[in-house]
Amino acid sequence: MSLEEHLDDSELPERLREKVRATAEERSLSDEEAVEVADAVYERYEQTRIDPLEPVGTVSAQSIGEPGTQMTMNTFHYAGVAEIDVTQGLPRLIELVDARKEPDTPMMTVYLEDEYAGDRDKAREVVWELEATDVLSIGDLSIDVADMQVAVDLDEEALEERQLSREEVAESIEEELDVSVDEESMSFGPDSPSYRELLQLVEELREVVFKGIDGVERVVIRKEEVEDGDEEYVLYTEGSKFKKALKVEGVDSTRTKTNNLHEMQKALGIEAARNTVVEEIVSTLGEQGLEVDIRHVMLVADAMTTTGDLQSIGRHGISGSKGSVLSRAAFEVTVNHLLDAAVHGEDDDLNGVTENVIVGQPIKIGTGDVELKVGRPGGD
Amino acid sequence: MTQEINYTRYERARIVGARALQISRGAPPLIDVDTIDPVDVASEELDRGVLPITVRRGPS
Protein backbone atom coordinates (compact mmCIF):
# COMPACT_ATOMS: atom_id res chain seq x y z
CA MET A 1 0.00 0.00 0.00
CA SER A 2 1.36 3.40 -0.85
CA LEU A 3 1.65 6.10 1.75
CA GLU A 4 -1.05 8.21 0.09
CA GLU A 5 -3.60 5.39 0.21
CA HIS A 6 -2.69 4.67 3.77
CA LEU A 7 -3.10 8.31 4.74
CA ASP A 8 -6.46 8.48 3.01
CA ASP A 9 -7.68 5.65 5.24
CA SER A 10 -6.32 7.11 8.46
CA GLU A 11 -7.92 9.79 10.57
CA LEU A 12 -4.79 11.91 10.79
CA PRO A 13 -5.44 15.63 10.51
CA GLU A 14 -4.13 17.36 7.40
CA ARG A 15 -1.38 19.16 9.30
CA LEU A 16 0.17 15.89 10.46
CA ARG A 17 -0.31 14.20 7.07
CA GLU A 18 1.66 17.02 5.54
CA LYS A 19 4.47 16.42 8.02
CA VAL A 20 4.49 12.68 7.40
CA ARG A 21 4.68 13.29 3.65
CA ALA A 22 7.51 15.76 4.09
CA THR A 23 9.46 13.39 6.30
CA ALA A 24 8.94 10.48 3.93
CA GLU A 25 10.19 12.62 1.08
CA GLU A 26 13.14 14.06 2.96
CA ARG A 27 14.42 10.69 4.19
CA SER A 28 13.37 8.97 0.95
CA LEU A 29 11.49 6.24 2.79
CA SER A 30 10.10 3.19 1.09
CA ASP A 31 6.32 2.81 1.05
CA GLU A 32 6.50 0.24 3.80
CA GLU A 33 8.63 2.42 6.06
CA ALA A 34 6.46 5.45 5.37
CA VAL A 35 3.35 3.54 6.37
CA GLU A 36 5.06 2.49 9.57
CA VAL A 37 5.93 6.10 10.31
CA ALA A 38 2.35 7.13 9.62
CA ASP A 39 1.10 4.48 12.03
CA ALA A 40 3.53 5.58 14.74
CA VAL A 41 2.46 9.17 14.24
CA TYR A 42 -1.17 8.16 14.46
CA GLU A 43 -0.59 6.28 17.69
CA ARG A 44 1.13 9.28 19.24
CA TYR A 45 -1.63 11.54 17.93
CA GLU A 46 -4.27 9.35 19.58
CA GLN A 47 -2.43 9.61 22.87
CA THR A 48 -2.41 13.38 22.79
CA ARG A 49 -6.12 13.60 22.14
CA ILE A 50 -8.51 14.37 24.94
CA ASP A 51 -10.95 11.68 26.04
CA PRO A 52 -14.62 12.44 25.73
CA LEU A 53 -16.13 13.72 29.00
CA GLU A 54 -12.83 15.23 30.10
CA PRO A 55 -13.46 18.54 31.92
CA VAL A 56 -11.28 20.57 29.56
CA GLY A 57 -12.45 23.93 30.85
CA THR A 58 -11.41 23.12 34.39
CA VAL A 59 -8.07 21.79 33.22
CA SER A 60 -7.47 24.93 31.16
CA ALA A 61 -8.39 27.15 34.07
CA GLN A 62 -5.93 25.36 36.31
CA SER A 63 -3.23 25.28 33.67
CA ILE A 64 -3.38 29.02 33.21
CA GLY A 65 -4.16 29.84 36.81
CA GLU A 66 -1.27 28.05 38.41
CA PRO A 67 1.49 29.73 36.37
CA GLY A 68 -0.49 32.93 36.88
CA THR A 69 0.20 32.75 40.60
CA GLN A 70 3.88 32.98 39.83
CA MET A 71 3.53 36.11 37.79
CA THR A 72 4.94 39.25 39.23
CA MET A 73 2.36 41.73 40.30
CA ASN A 74 4.47 44.59 39.03
CA THR A 75 3.94 46.18 35.70
CA PHE A 76 7.07 45.57 33.73
CA HIS A 77 8.03 47.56 30.72
CA TYR A 78 9.74 46.67 27.57
CA ALA A 79 13.42 47.35 27.86
CA GLY A 80 14.52 45.61 24.70
CA VAL A 81 11.79 46.27 22.21
CA ALA A 82 11.98 49.84 21.07
CA GLU A 83 11.79 51.57 24.45
CA ILE A 84 8.04 51.67 24.25
CA ASP A 85 6.31 51.11 27.55
CA VAL A 86 3.85 48.26 27.39
CA THR A 87 1.86 46.84 30.25
CA GLN A 88 3.15 43.39 30.98
CA GLY A 89 2.56 40.56 33.36
CA LEU A 90 -0.50 40.11 35.50
CA PRO A 91 -2.07 43.51 34.77
CA ARG A 92 -1.90 42.79 31.05
CA LEU A 93 -3.33 39.30 31.48
CA ILE A 94 -6.25 40.68 33.45
CA GLU A 95 -6.78 43.34 30.82
CA LEU A 96 -6.95 40.72 28.07
CA VAL A 97 -9.29 38.40 29.90
CA ASP A 98 -11.51 41.36 30.74
CA ALA A 99 -11.62 42.31 27.05
CA ARG A 100 -11.02 45.91 28.08
CA LYS A 101 -12.26 48.47 25.53
CA GLU A 102 -8.93 50.24 25.55
CA PRO A 103 -5.74 48.66 26.84
CA ASP A 104 -3.66 50.58 29.37
CA THR A 105 -0.88 50.98 26.84
CA PRO A 106 -2.24 50.60 23.32
CA MET A 107 0.39 49.94 20.70
CA MET A 108 0.66 48.81 17.14
CA THR A 109 3.30 46.79 15.41
CA VAL A 110 3.41 48.15 11.91
CA TYR A 111 5.03 46.10 9.19
CA LEU A 112 5.91 47.76 5.93
CA GLU A 113 5.41 46.82 2.32
CA ASP A 114 8.45 45.60 0.42
CA GLU A 115 9.55 48.93 -1.09
CA TYR A 116 9.42 50.60 2.32
CA ALA A 117 10.66 47.80 4.54
CA GLY A 118 14.24 47.83 3.37
CA ASP A 119 14.79 51.57 3.08
CA ARG A 120 15.23 53.64 6.20
CA ASP A 121 14.24 56.91 4.53
CA LYS A 122 11.10 55.38 3.09
CA ALA A 123 10.29 53.90 6.49
CA ARG A 124 10.72 57.41 7.95
CA GLU A 125 8.10 58.70 5.54
CA VAL A 126 5.62 56.21 6.92
CA VAL A 127 6.55 57.24 10.45
CA TRP A 128 5.56 60.84 9.69
CA GLU A 129 2.28 59.65 8.22
CA LEU A 130 1.55 57.77 11.45
CA GLU A 131 2.96 59.88 14.25
CA ALA A 132 0.74 62.75 15.26
CA THR A 133 2.63 66.00 14.77
CA ASP A 134 1.64 68.80 17.10
CA VAL A 135 2.70 72.44 17.20
CA LEU A 136 5.51 71.94 19.63
CA SER A 137 7.30 69.45 17.40
CA ILE A 138 7.41 71.84 14.44
CA GLY A 139 8.04 75.14 16.18
CA ASP A 140 7.88 77.29 19.27
CA LEU A 141 4.91 79.18 20.58
CA SER A 142 5.02 82.77 21.65
CA ILE A 143 2.18 84.80 23.04
CA ASP A 144 2.14 88.53 22.63
CA VAL A 145 -0.30 89.78 25.22
CA ALA A 146 0.04 93.39 24.17
CA ASP A 147 -1.03 92.76 20.56
CA MET A 148 -3.31 89.88 21.44
CA GLN A 149 -1.42 87.61 19.07
CA VAL A 150 -0.18 84.05 19.17
CA ALA A 151 2.83 83.40 16.96
CA VAL A 152 4.33 80.12 15.92
CA ASP A 153 8.01 80.23 15.22
CA LEU A 154 8.27 77.38 12.76
CA ASP A 155 11.34 75.20 12.65
CA GLU A 156 12.11 74.89 8.94
CA GLU A 157 14.16 71.76 9.43
CA ALA A 158 11.40 69.96 11.28
CA LEU A 159 8.94 71.05 8.59
CA GLU A 160 11.08 69.73 5.80
CA GLU A 161 11.65 66.45 7.56
CA ARG A 162 7.92 65.96 7.83
CA GLN A 163 7.29 67.29 4.33
CA LEU A 164 4.99 69.99 5.60
CA SER A 165 4.77 73.42 4.04
CA ARG A 166 4.07 76.68 5.81
CA GLU A 167 0.84 76.99 3.84
CA GLU A 168 -0.35 73.61 5.07
CA VAL A 169 0.38 74.55 8.65
CA ALA A 170 -1.45 77.83 8.27
CA GLU A 171 -4.37 76.07 6.64
CA SER A 172 -4.61 73.52 9.42
CA ILE A 173 -4.66 76.24 12.04
CA GLU A 174 -7.28 78.26 10.20
CA GLU A 175 -9.46 75.22 9.75
CA GLU A 176 -9.20 73.91 13.28
CA LEU A 177 -9.29 77.16 15.23
CA ASP A 178 -11.48 79.23 12.94
CA VAL A 179 -9.09 82.20 12.81
CA SER A 180 -7.24 83.93 10.00
CA VAL A 181 -3.52 83.37 10.04
CA ASP A 182 -0.89 85.73 8.76
CA GLU A 183 1.35 83.38 6.83
CA GLU A 184 4.40 85.65 6.95
CA SER A 185 4.73 85.73 10.71
CA MET A 186 2.58 82.67 11.37
CA SER A 187 0.61 84.65 13.88
CA PHE A 188 -3.04 85.01 14.67
CA GLY A 189 -5.29 86.28 17.42
CA PRO A 190 -8.88 86.23 18.62
CA ASP A 191 -11.49 88.27 16.73
CA SER A 192 -12.06 90.58 19.64
CA PRO A 193 -9.28 91.39 22.07
CA SER A 194 -9.90 89.11 25.03
CA TYR A 195 -7.24 87.70 27.26
CA ARG A 196 -9.30 84.62 27.99
CA GLU A 197 -9.94 83.87 24.35
CA LEU A 198 -6.26 84.26 23.58
CA LEU A 199 -5.34 81.62 26.13
CA GLN A 200 -8.16 79.47 24.86
CA LEU A 201 -6.64 79.64 21.37
CA VAL A 202 -3.26 78.57 22.67
CA GLU A 203 -4.84 75.62 24.41
CA GLU A 204 -6.64 74.60 21.24
CA LEU A 205 -3.53 75.09 19.16
CA ARG A 206 -1.71 72.53 21.26
CA GLU A 207 -4.36 69.99 20.34
CA VAL A 208 -4.14 70.49 16.58
CA VAL A 209 -2.65 67.57 14.68
CA PHE A 210 -0.78 68.80 11.62
CA LYS A 211 0.22 65.49 10.21
CA GLY A 212 -0.16 61.84 11.13
CA ILE A 213 -2.89 60.13 13.09
CA ASP A 214 -4.39 61.69 16.17
CA GLY A 215 -3.85 59.25 19.00
CA VAL A 216 -0.59 57.80 17.76
CA GLU A 217 1.80 59.55 20.08
CA ARG A 218 5.13 58.07 19.27
CA VAL A 219 6.59 55.86 16.60
CA VAL A 220 9.85 53.98 16.88
CA ILE A 221 11.67 52.37 13.99
CA ARG A 222 13.48 49.15 14.56
CA LYS A 223 15.46 46.98 12.26
CA GLU A 224 14.37 43.42 12.64
CA GLU A 225 15.49 40.14 11.24
CA VAL A 226 13.03 38.17 9.20
CA GLU A 227 13.20 34.41 8.90
CA ASP A 228 15.59 34.02 5.99
CA GLY A 229 18.27 36.25 7.50
CA ASP A 230 17.03 39.37 5.74
CA GLU A 231 16.41 42.51 7.68
CA GLU A 232 13.48 44.86 7.52
CA TYR A 233 12.29 47.96 9.31
CA VAL A 234 9.37 47.52 11.65
CA LEU A 235 7.55 50.38 13.34
CA TYR A 236 6.27 50.30 16.90
CA THR A 237 3.72 52.90 17.87
CA GLU A 238 2.60 54.22 21.19
CA GLY A 239 -1.14 54.60 20.89
CA SER A 240 -3.24 52.61 18.50
CA LYS A 241 -5.52 53.73 15.68
CA PHE A 242 -5.58 50.51 13.77
CA LYS A 243 -8.10 51.21 11.02
CA LYS A 244 -6.49 54.50 10.09
CA ALA A 245 -3.02 53.04 10.21
CA LEU A 246 -3.95 50.28 7.78
CA LYS A 247 -4.86 52.89 5.18
CA VAL A 248 -1.52 54.64 5.33
CA GLU A 249 0.60 54.23 2.21
CA GLY A 250 3.39 51.73 2.69
CA VAL A 251 1.82 49.89 5.60
CA ASP A 252 1.57 46.18 5.03
CA SER A 253 -2.01 45.57 6.11
CA THR A 254 -1.59 41.81 6.04
CA ARG A 255 0.91 41.71 8.90
CA THR A 256 0.36 44.90 10.88
CA LYS A 257 -1.25 44.32 14.25
CA THR A 258 -2.43 46.05 17.36
CA ASN A 259 -2.72 44.95 20.96
CA ASN A 260 -6.21 46.41 21.18
CA LEU A 261 -8.64 43.50 20.85
CA HIS A 262 -11.64 45.61 19.98
CA GLU A 263 -9.86 47.50 17.23
CA MET A 264 -8.73 44.20 15.83
CA GLN A 265 -12.28 42.92 15.84
CA LYS A 266 -13.69 46.02 14.20
CA ALA A 267 -11.08 46.15 11.48
CA LEU A 268 -10.44 42.48 10.71
CA GLY A 269 -13.24 40.53 12.33
CA ILE A 270 -13.78 38.19 15.22
CA GLU A 271 -11.35 35.50 14.07
CA ALA A 272 -8.55 38.05 14.01
CA ALA A 273 -9.59 39.11 17.49
CA ARG A 274 -9.48 35.50 18.63
CA ASN A 275 -6.00 35.10 17.25
CA THR A 276 -4.93 38.29 18.96
CA VAL A 277 -6.25 37.02 22.28
CA VAL A 278 -4.27 33.81 21.87
CA GLU A 279 -1.11 35.55 20.74
CA GLU A 280 -1.23 38.22 23.42
CA ILE A 281 -1.87 35.78 26.25
CA VAL A 282 0.84 33.41 25.10
CA SER A 283 3.36 36.22 24.73
CA THR A 284 2.41 37.80 28.06
CA LEU A 285 2.92 34.47 29.81
CA GLY A 286 6.02 33.75 27.76
CA GLU A 287 7.55 37.08 28.71
CA GLN A 288 7.48 35.93 32.32
CA GLY A 289 9.06 32.63 31.44
CA LEU A 290 5.84 30.72 31.84
CA GLU A 291 4.88 28.13 29.29
CA VAL A 292 1.26 27.15 28.92
CA ASP A 293 0.06 24.78 26.23
CA ILE A 294 -1.53 26.85 23.50
CA ARG A 295 -4.67 24.72 23.51
CA HIS A 296 -5.62 25.99 26.95
CA VAL A 297 -5.27 29.55 25.76
CA MET A 298 -7.22 28.76 22.61
CA LEU A 299 -10.07 27.45 24.70
CA VAL A 300 -10.18 30.72 26.59
CA ALA A 301 -10.08 32.69 23.36
CA ASP A 302 -12.84 30.53 21.89
CA ALA A 303 -15.01 31.06 24.94
CA MET A 304 -14.49 34.81 24.64
CA THR A 305 -15.37 34.95 20.95
CA THR A 306 -17.98 32.26 20.17
CA THR A 307 -20.86 34.71 20.22
CA GLY A 308 -19.22 36.66 17.41
CA ASP A 309 -18.53 39.49 19.80
CA LEU A 310 -15.77 39.90 22.32
CA GLN A 311 -16.98 38.84 25.73
CA SER A 312 -15.02 39.27 28.89
CA ILE A 313 -14.57 36.46 31.34
CA GLY A 314 -16.29 37.26 34.58
CA ARG A 315 -19.37 38.95 35.93
CA HIS A 316 -20.00 41.21 32.95
CA GLY A 317 -19.21 38.62 30.33
CA ILE A 318 -19.40 34.88 30.10
CA SER A 319 -20.16 34.02 33.72
CA GLY A 320 -22.81 36.70 33.87
CA SER A 321 -24.59 35.58 30.73
CA LYS A 322 -24.90 31.91 31.58
CA GLY A 323 -28.32 30.44 31.17
CA SER A 324 -28.65 28.92 34.59
CA VAL A 325 -29.76 30.98 37.56
CA LEU A 326 -28.02 28.75 40.07
CA SER A 327 -24.79 28.88 38.10
CA ARG A 328 -24.83 32.65 38.01
CA ALA A 329 -25.77 32.85 41.68
CA ALA A 330 -22.86 30.58 42.56
CA PHE A 331 -20.45 32.96 40.88
CA GLU A 332 -21.00 36.40 42.34
CA VAL A 333 -23.68 38.57 43.95
CA THR A 334 -25.72 35.51 44.89
CA VAL A 335 -28.71 37.20 46.45
CA ASN A 336 -29.33 39.61 43.57
CA HIS A 337 -29.39 36.82 41.03
CA LEU A 338 -31.74 34.65 43.05
CA LEU A 339 -34.00 37.60 43.76
CA ASP A 340 -34.17 38.63 40.10
CA ALA A 341 -34.80 35.05 39.06
CA ALA A 342 -37.63 34.76 41.56
CA VAL A 343 -39.17 38.03 40.42
CA HIS A 344 -39.06 36.98 36.77
CA GLY A 345 -40.10 33.39 37.44
CA GLU A 346 -37.03 31.93 35.79
CA ASP A 347 -36.57 28.22 35.22
CA ASP A 348 -33.36 26.24 35.60
CA ASP A 349 -32.88 23.22 33.37
CA LEU A 350 -30.04 21.87 35.48
CA ASN A 351 -27.85 21.19 32.46
CA GLY A 352 -24.56 22.56 33.69
CA VAL A 353 -22.06 21.32 36.22
CA THR A 354 -22.50 23.99 38.88
CA GLU A 355 -26.28 23.63 39.07
CA ASN A 356 -26.07 19.88 39.59
CA VAL A 357 -23.43 20.20 42.27
CA ILE A 358 -25.73 22.60 44.07
CA VAL A 359 -28.74 20.28 43.98
CA GLY A 360 -26.60 17.24 44.73
CA GLN A 361 -26.89 15.29 41.48
CA PRO A 362 -24.17 13.56 39.49
CA ILE A 363 -22.58 16.03 37.10
CA LYS A 364 -22.44 15.43 33.38
CA ILE A 365 -18.68 15.09 33.20
CA GLY A 366 -16.28 12.18 33.51
CA THR A 367 -17.80 9.07 35.08
CA GLY A 368 -20.93 11.06 35.81
CA ASP A 369 -22.00 11.01 32.17
CA VAL A 370 -21.33 7.35 31.36
CA GLU A 371 -24.48 5.35 30.87
CA LEU A 372 -24.25 1.64 31.55
CA LYS A 373 -26.19 -1.03 29.75
CA VAL A 374 -26.30 -4.80 29.87
CA GLY A 375 -24.56 -6.57 27.03
CA ARG A 376 -21.21 -7.32 25.47
CA PRO A 377 -19.04 -4.52 24.11
CA GLY A 378 -19.98 -3.79 20.53
CA GLY A 379 -23.05 -6.03 20.53
CA ASP A 380 -26.56 -4.84 21.18
CA MET B 1 -16.86 -12.54 21.71
CA THR B 2 -17.85 -9.46 19.82
CA GLN B 3 -15.68 -6.56 18.79
CA GLU B 4 -13.52 -4.73 21.31
CA ILE B 5 -14.30 -1.22 22.42
CA ASN B 6 -11.61 1.14 23.56
CA TYR B 7 -13.14 2.48 26.71
CA THR B 8 -12.16 5.91 27.89
CA ARG B 9 -10.87 6.01 31.43
CA TYR B 10 -14.20 7.37 32.63
CA GLU B 11 -16.14 4.56 31.03
CA ARG B 12 -13.75 2.01 32.45
CA ALA B 13 -14.00 3.50 35.93
CA ARG B 14 -17.77 3.52 35.75
CA ILE B 15 -18.01 -0.12 34.63
CA VAL B 16 -15.48 -1.40 37.12
CA GLY B 17 -17.15 0.62 39.85
CA ALA B 18 -20.59 -0.81 39.11
CA ARG B 19 -19.33 -4.37 38.94
CA ALA B 20 -17.18 -4.01 42.07
CA LEU B 21 -20.24 -2.89 43.97
CA GLN B 22 -22.11 -6.03 42.93
CA ILE B 23 -19.21 -8.24 43.96
CA SER B 24 -18.74 -6.52 47.28
CA ARG B 25 -22.39 -7.17 48.03
CA GLY B 26 -21.98 -10.85 47.38
CA ALA B 27 -22.35 -11.45 43.67
CA PRO B 28 -20.31 -14.47 42.55
CA PRO B 29 -17.24 -13.60 40.47
CA LEU B 30 -17.33 -14.71 36.84
CA ILE B 31 -13.70 -15.83 36.92
CA ASP B 32 -11.37 -17.66 39.23
CA VAL B 33 -9.31 -15.17 41.18
CA ASP B 34 -6.92 -15.21 44.07
CA THR B 35 -7.64 -11.70 45.28
CA ILE B 36 -10.49 -10.64 47.50
CA ASP B 37 -10.51 -6.99 46.49
CA PRO B 38 -13.78 -6.48 44.59
CA VAL B 39 -12.25 -3.72 42.47
CA ASP B 40 -9.41 -5.98 41.34
CA VAL B 41 -11.84 -8.76 40.57
CA ALA B 42 -14.08 -6.43 38.57
CA SER B 43 -11.12 -4.99 36.71
CA GLU B 44 -9.88 -8.47 35.81
CA GLU B 45 -13.34 -9.48 34.62
CA LEU B 46 -13.50 -6.47 32.35
CA ASP B 47 -10.05 -7.16 30.93
CA ARG B 48 -10.93 -10.76 30.13
CA GLY B 49 -14.09 -9.65 28.39
CA VAL B 50 -16.47 -11.77 30.44
CA LEU B 51 -18.48 -8.89 31.84
CA PRO B 52 -21.92 -8.45 30.29
CA ILE B 53 -21.81 -4.74 31.02
CA THR B 54 -21.02 -2.06 28.49
CA VAL B 55 -21.79 1.59 27.86
CA ARG B 56 -24.31 3.39 25.74
CA ARG B 57 -22.58 5.97 23.62
CA GLY B 58 -23.88 8.93 21.74
CA PRO B 59 -26.91 11.04 22.57
CA SER B 60 -29.29 9.09 24.77
Side-chain angles (χ1 to χ4, degrees), chain B residues 21-42:
Chain B
L21 191 65
Q22 293 177 347
I23 295 171
S24 81
R25 290 199 183 160
L30 298 170
I31 51 171
D32 286 330
V33 282
D34 32 4
T35 169
I36 56 154
D37 182 355
V39 174
D40 289 346
V41 177

Side-chain angles (χ1 to χ4, degrees), chain A residues 2-13:
Chain A
S2 79
L3 175 64
E4 243 356 272
E5 282 165 15
H6 189 72
L7 283 179
D8 276 341
D9 289 346
S10 84
E11 284 171 34
L12 270 186

Side-chain angles (χ1 to χ4, degrees), chain A residues 46 51-55 365-379, chain B residues 2-3 5 7-11 13-15 18 49-56 60:
Chain A
E46 275 284 271
D51 279 340
L53 303 180
E54 182 103 19
I365 260 193
T367 37
D369 200 21
V370 177
E371 204 183 328
L372 295 182
K373 71 174 184 186
V374 176
R376 303 272 171 201
Chain B
T2 39
Q3 126 205 39
I5 289 191
Y7 290 122
T8 68
R9 47 190 161 136
Y10 303 112
E11 288 167 339
R14 185 75 175 76
I15 295 170
V50 295
L51 261 192
I53 301 176
T54 185
V55 296
R56 181 172 288 137
S60 44

Side-chain angles (χ1 to χ4, degrees), chain A residues 7 13-23:
Chain A
L7 283 179
E14 193 51 41
R15 187 174 58 87
L16 289 176
R17 287 183 199 201
E18 213 43 71
K19 277 193 175 174
V20 172
R21 281 189 203 115
T23 311

Side-chain angles (χ1 to χ4, degrees), chain A residues 55-66 292 295-297 299-300:
Chain A
V56 280
T58 311
V59 174
S60 285
Q62 290 174 339
S63 304
I64 297 171
E66 194 277 337
V292 173
R295 285 173 288 181
H296 297 308
V297 181
L299 188 70
V300 172

